[in-house]
Amino acid sequence: MRKKHTDHSENRTFEKITFDEKNPACGIYEECTFIHCNMNNADLSGITFRNCLFEGCDLSLARLRETGFQEIRFANCKLLGMQFCDCRKLLLEFEFESCLLKLSVFNKLVIKNTRFTDCNLQEADFTGTDLTGTVFTNCDLMRATFEHTTLEEADLRSAYNFSINPETNRIRKARFSLTGVTGLLDVYGIEIE
Protein backbone atom coordinates (compact mmCIF):
# COMPACT_ATOMS: atom_id res chain seq x y z
CA MET A 1 0.00 0.00 0.00
CA ARG A 2 1.25 3.42 -0.92
CA LYS A 3 2.13 5.85 1.84
CA LYS A 4 0.01 9.00 1.92
CA HIS A 5 1.91 12.25 1.55
CA THR A 6 0.71 15.75 2.22
CA ASP A 7 3.61 17.49 0.50
CA HIS A 8 2.77 20.75 -1.23
CA SER A 9 5.09 22.17 -3.90
CA GLU A 10 4.38 25.62 -5.22
CA ASN A 11 6.06 27.71 -7.96
CA ARG A 12 8.89 25.19 -8.36
CA THR A 13 10.73 23.98 -11.44
CA PHE A 14 11.69 20.32 -11.68
CA GLU A 15 14.24 19.66 -14.40
CA LYS A 16 15.54 16.27 -15.64
CA ILE A 17 14.19 14.46 -12.58
CA THR A 18 13.11 10.84 -12.67
CA PHE A 19 10.04 10.14 -10.58
CA ASP A 20 9.95 6.45 -9.65
CA GLU A 21 9.63 4.21 -6.58
CA LYS A 22 12.84 5.63 -5.11
CA ASN A 23 11.82 9.21 -5.85
CA PRO A 24 7.99 9.27 -5.98
CA ALA A 25 5.90 12.26 -6.93
CA CYS A 26 3.55 13.08 -4.06
CA GLY A 27 1.07 15.57 -2.71
CA ILE A 28 0.03 18.73 -4.53
CA TYR A 29 1.97 20.57 -7.21
CA GLU A 30 0.74 24.11 -7.83
CA GLU A 31 2.05 26.41 -10.57
CA CYS A 32 5.05 24.10 -11.08
CA THR A 33 7.04 23.44 -14.24
CA PHE A 34 8.36 20.01 -15.15
CA ILE A 35 11.08 20.10 -17.83
CA HIS A 36 12.44 16.90 -19.41
CA CYS A 37 11.31 14.83 -16.42
CA ASN A 38 10.84 11.08 -16.62
CA MET A 39 7.59 9.81 -15.13
CA ASN A 40 7.42 6.75 -17.37
CA ASN A 41 5.45 4.05 -15.47
CA ALA A 42 5.35 6.30 -12.37
CA ASP A 43 2.47 6.00 -9.93
CA LEU A 44 0.83 9.44 -9.94
CA SER A 45 -2.35 8.16 -8.24
CA GLY A 46 -4.01 10.61 -5.87
CA ILE A 47 -1.64 13.45 -6.75
CA THR A 48 -3.00 16.87 -7.71
CA PHE A 49 -1.38 19.08 -10.35
CA ARG A 50 -2.79 22.63 -10.57
CA ASN A 51 -1.81 25.16 -13.23
CA CYS A 52 1.35 23.23 -14.16
CA LEU A 53 3.41 22.95 -17.35
CA PHE A 54 4.97 19.69 -18.51
CA GLU A 55 7.60 20.39 -21.18
CA GLY A 56 9.41 17.54 -22.94
CA CYS A 57 8.44 14.99 -20.27
CA ASP A 58 7.77 11.26 -20.62
CA LEU A 59 4.66 10.19 -18.70
CA SER A 60 4.00 7.06 -20.77
CA LEU A 61 1.98 4.42 -18.91
CA ALA A 62 1.95 6.45 -15.68
CA ARG A 63 -0.82 5.33 -13.31
CA LEU A 64 -3.46 8.05 -12.93
CA ARG A 65 -5.99 6.67 -10.44
CA GLU A 66 -7.73 9.77 -9.01
CA THR A 67 -4.93 12.05 -10.27
CA GLY A 68 -6.03 15.67 -10.47
CA PHE A 69 -5.05 17.58 -13.61
CA GLN A 70 -6.37 21.14 -13.26
CA GLU A 71 -5.35 23.73 -15.89
CA ILE A 72 -2.42 21.66 -17.16
CA ARG A 73 -0.42 22.22 -20.34
CA PHE A 74 1.54 19.37 -21.89
CA ALA A 75 4.05 20.46 -24.55
CA ASN A 76 6.34 18.14 -26.52
CA CYS A 77 5.52 15.28 -24.14
CA LYS A 78 5.44 11.54 -24.65
CA LEU A 79 2.13 10.27 -23.22
CA LEU A 80 1.81 6.76 -24.67
CA GLY A 81 -1.01 4.60 -23.36
CA MET A 82 -2.14 7.10 -20.72
CA GLN A 83 -5.41 6.15 -19.01
CA PHE A 84 -6.76 9.68 -18.62
CA CYS A 85 -10.15 8.10 -17.88
CA ASP A 86 -8.79 7.12 -14.43
CA CYS A 87 -8.15 10.78 -13.49
CA ARG A 88 -10.25 12.65 -10.96
CA LYS A 89 -13.13 14.09 -12.99
CA LEU A 90 -13.64 17.23 -10.87
CA LEU A 91 -12.04 20.33 -12.45
CA LEU A 92 -10.24 18.17 -15.06
CA GLU A 93 -8.69 20.53 -17.60
CA PHE A 94 -5.66 20.16 -19.84
CA GLU A 95 -4.29 21.07 -23.25
CA PHE A 96 -1.77 19.30 -25.45
CA GLU A 97 0.75 20.72 -27.91
CA SER A 98 3.09 18.60 -30.06
CA CYS A 99 2.47 15.54 -27.88
CA LEU A 100 2.66 11.83 -28.65
CA LEU A 101 -0.65 10.47 -27.31
CA LYS A 102 -0.82 7.12 -29.11
CA LEU A 103 -3.09 4.55 -27.44
CA SER A 104 -4.22 7.04 -24.76
CA VAL A 105 -7.69 6.54 -23.30
CA PHE A 106 -10.14 9.38 -22.65
CA ASN A 107 -13.27 7.18 -22.22
CA LYS A 108 -16.36 8.86 -20.81
CA LEU A 109 -14.56 12.06 -19.77
CA VAL A 110 -16.14 15.49 -20.05
CA ILE A 111 -13.29 17.53 -21.52
CA LYS A 112 -15.09 20.29 -23.38
CA ASN A 113 -13.04 22.94 -25.20
CA THR A 114 -9.79 20.98 -24.90
CA ARG A 115 -7.05 21.98 -27.36
CA PHE A 116 -4.97 19.35 -29.14
CA THR A 117 -2.35 21.00 -31.38
CA ASP A 118 0.06 19.07 -33.64
CA CYS A 119 -0.54 15.84 -31.67
CA ASN A 120 -0.27 12.20 -32.65
CA LEU A 121 -3.51 10.65 -31.36
CA GLN A 122 -3.27 7.40 -33.30
CA GLU A 123 -5.44 4.69 -31.72
CA ALA A 124 -6.58 7.02 -28.92
CA ASP A 125 -9.93 6.05 -27.43
CA PHE A 126 -12.64 8.73 -27.14
CA THR A 127 -15.56 6.33 -26.53
CA GLY A 128 -18.38 8.14 -24.72
CA THR A 129 -16.26 11.28 -24.32
CA ASP A 130 -17.78 14.78 -24.37
CA LEU A 131 -15.50 16.76 -26.67
CA THR A 132 -17.90 19.67 -27.24
CA GLY A 133 -15.97 22.64 -28.62
CA THR A 134 -12.67 20.75 -28.66
CA VAL A 135 -10.12 21.82 -31.27
CA PHE A 136 -7.93 19.26 -33.04
CA THR A 137 -5.36 21.37 -34.92
CA ASN A 138 -3.18 19.37 -37.32
CA CYS A 139 -3.70 16.13 -35.35
CA ASP A 140 -3.26 12.57 -36.63
CA LEU A 141 -6.35 10.57 -35.57
CA MET A 142 -5.57 7.34 -37.44
CA ARG A 143 -7.57 4.46 -35.91
CA ALA A 144 -8.74 6.69 -33.04
CA THR A 145 -12.04 5.40 -31.62
CA PHE A 146 -15.06 7.70 -31.72
CA GLU A 147 -18.12 5.80 -30.48
CA HIS A 148 -21.03 7.58 -28.75
CA THR A 149 -18.73 10.61 -28.63
CA THR A 150 -20.03 14.17 -28.46
CA LEU A 151 -18.17 16.30 -31.00
CA GLU A 152 -20.69 19.13 -31.22
CA GLU A 153 -19.02 22.42 -32.22
CA ALA A 154 -15.63 20.64 -32.32
CA ASP A 155 -13.10 21.83 -34.89
CA LEU A 156 -11.51 19.06 -36.97
CA ARG A 157 -10.76 21.16 -40.06
CA SER A 158 -7.03 20.42 -40.01
CA ALA A 159 -7.22 16.99 -38.34
CA TYR A 160 -6.55 14.01 -40.57
CA ASN A 161 -6.83 10.21 -40.84
CA PHE A 162 -10.00 10.13 -38.73
CA SER A 163 -13.03 7.92 -39.22
CA ILE A 164 -16.15 9.14 -37.44
CA ASN A 165 -19.54 7.53 -37.89
CA PRO A 166 -22.15 10.34 -37.94
CA GLU A 167 -24.85 7.84 -36.94
CA THR A 168 -23.23 6.83 -33.63
CA ASN A 169 -21.63 10.16 -32.67
CA ARG A 170 -23.04 13.63 -32.05
CA ILE A 171 -21.43 15.99 -34.58
CA ARG A 172 -23.91 18.87 -34.81
CA LYS A 173 -22.13 22.12 -35.76
CA ALA A 174 -18.73 20.36 -35.79
CA ARG A 175 -16.35 21.82 -38.37
CA PHE A 176 -14.59 19.70 -40.99
CA SER A 177 -12.56 20.54 -44.07
CA LEU A 178 -13.88 19.43 -47.46
CA THR A 179 -11.12 16.79 -47.70
CA GLY A 180 -11.86 15.62 -44.13
CA VAL A 181 -15.48 14.85 -44.95
CA THR A 182 -14.31 11.50 -46.36
CA GLY A 183 -13.60 10.45 -42.76
CA LEU A 184 -17.33 10.77 -42.10
CA LEU A 185 -18.20 8.49 -45.00
CA ASP A 186 -15.88 5.53 -44.25
CA VAL A 187 -18.70 3.66 -42.54
CA TYR A 188 -20.68 3.56 -45.79
CA GLY A 189 -17.90 1.82 -47.78
CA ILE A 190 -18.21 4.21 -50.69
CA GLU A 191 -15.35 5.36 -52.87
CA ILE A 192 -14.79 9.03 -53.51
CA GLU A 193 -12.57 9.99 -56.44
Side-chain angles (χ1 to χ4, degrees):
M1 176 124 184
R2 208 177 139 148
K3 220 162 79 173
K4 288 218 177 213
H5 296 279
T6 54
D7 294 347
H8 189 106
S9 297
E10 200 169 339
N11 294 313
R12 288 187 55 196
T13 297
F14 300 88
E15 193 165 356
K16 295 182 180 174
I17 295 186
T18 296
F19 292 91
D20 55 19
E21 287 181 11
K22 293 176 185 155
N23 183 32
C26 54
I28 298 170
Y29 295 88
E30 198 157 0
E31 297 184 8
C32 291
T33 302
F34 298 86
I35 301 170
H36 299 294
C37 290
N38 184 1
M39 297 179 183
N40 187 318
N41 275 309
D43 188 354
L44 304 178
S45 299
I47 295 168
T48 299
F49 297 93
R50 276 190 208 115
N51 198 17
C52 293
L53 166 65
F54 291 84
E55 171 75 51
C57 296
D58 184 356
L59 288 91
S60 298
L61 298 172
R63 287 177 292 295
L64 301 176
R65 196 170 57 68
E66 289 300 310
T67 302
F69 284 128
Q70 302 167 6
E71 296 183 50
I72 303 303
R73 184 166 173 261
F74 293 99
N76 302 298
C77 289
K78 189 174 176 184
L79 305 157
L80 295 171
M82 298 282 289
Q83 301 287 320
F84 289 104
C85 57
D86 292 341
C87 289
R88 189 177 317 123
K89 311 303 184 263
L90 186 65
L91 303 174
L92 181 64
E93 184 182 337
F94 37 51
E95 67 177 75
F96 303 90
E97 183 181 331
S98 300
C99 290
L100 182 57
L101 286 150
K102 279 184 172 181
L103 299 164
S104 289
V105 180
F106 296 88
N107 285 20
K108 298 180 180 167
L109 291 177
V110 176
I111 50 174
K112 297 178 179 181
N113 303 309
T114 299
R115 299 186 77 78
F116 293 94
T117 306
D118 298 318
C119 291
N120 182 331
L121 286 152
Q122 291 180 7
E123 298 183 71
D125 190 345
F126 294 103
T127 302
T129 307
D130 187 344
L131 295 166
T132 301
T134 292
V135 178
F136 293 93
T137 304
N138 196 36
C139 291
D140 186 353
L141 292 162
M142 183 176 281
R143 291 189 300 277
T145 304
F146 293 95
E147 193 66 35
H148 303 293
T149 305
T150 301
L151 288 156
E152 293 179 351
E153 299 178 20
D155 186 344
L156 290 102
R157 289 177 295 171
S158 62
Y160 53 96
N161 293 331
F162 59 85
S163 179
I164 299 170
N165 184 343
E167 294 180 15
T168 59
N169 295 285
R170 294 171 57 184
I171 60 170
R172 190 168 173 267
K173 293 192 177 179
R175 300 167 77 183
F176 299 92
S177 67
L178 194 53
T179 54
V181 169
T182 57
L184 298 173
L185 303 173
D186 289 344
V187 68
Y188 302 112
I190 58 178
E191 290 184 33
I192 299 168
E193 296 179 7

